[in-house]
Amino acid sequence: VVPPNSSLRHEFGCQPSFTCPGTAEFVLVSGEEDNLGDPDTSIAVTLVASFAKAVCVFREKRLLFGSIPLSLTSSRSVHIDNVGESHAFFQVVPLAYPGLTIHPMSGCVPVGGTTTLTLYLCPKTTEKFDV
């Protein structure tokens, strides 16, 4: 409750993620709101979150699996470095390549930090893999 002729200072925290919207809407109630949500006693406030630029780079330019056995899973790792000014959220776009899985599919790379992605490949036929 805020007394008449006074002000209210409030801070809203934002927990960003890959799918979070850039805006959020809140209802600020001034006075006593009745059970019907009388519009004369409440106002809608739209807050806009701004995020610093996130920049990530792959440490390796290529990932080589080399010769791997058929029908057995082989794994290799790649590293993502965050060289930006804020935490970076990522999501892997699935490739339509049979036998290839990537883990994790999404996550956060902290400022100045590194995240490791592991690729698992289980080929069923002999072929050259180059994506």
Side-chain angles (χ1 to χ4, degrees):
V1 176
V2 180
N5 300 319
S6 62
S7 62
L8 170 70
R9 182 178 173 167
H10 192 79
E11 181 177 315
F12 290 91
C14 177
Q15 296 295 323
S17 70
F18 184 77
T19 57
C20 78
T23 62
E25 190 168 310
F26 298 91
V27 176
L28 179 63
V29 179
S30 59
E32 290 187 29
E33 182 176 11
D34 60 20
N35 292 337
L36 301 175
D38 183 5
D40 294 335
T41 61
S42 63
I43 59 171
V45 179
T46 301
L47 302 175
V48 178
S50 60
F51 303 101
K53 187 174 181 179
V55 179
C56 286
V57 294
F58 283 100
R59 194 178 295 170
E60 302 85 3
K61 294 193 185 286
R62 285 186 73 131
L63 174 64
L64 302 175
F65 268 87
S67 297
I68 58 175
L70 287 177
S71 300
L72 293 176
T73 303
S74 297
S75 65
R76 303 291 186 271
S77 295
V78 294
H79 306 283
I80 302 173
D81 295 326
N82 183 349
V83 295
E85 302 170 1
S86 68
H87 298 318
F89 295 89
F90 70 90
Q91 184 172 20
V92 175
V93 177
L95 295 172
Y97 193 86
L100 178 67
T101 57
I102 302 171
H103 184 75
M105 290 295 288
S106 63
C108 175
V109 185
V111 176
T114 299
T115 293
T116 301
L117 296 179
T118 305
L119 289 80
Y120 301 93
L121 182 59
C122 184
K124 301 296 182 194
T125 61
T126 302
E127 61 184 282
K128 182 177 180 180
F129 176 76
D130 191 9
V131 174

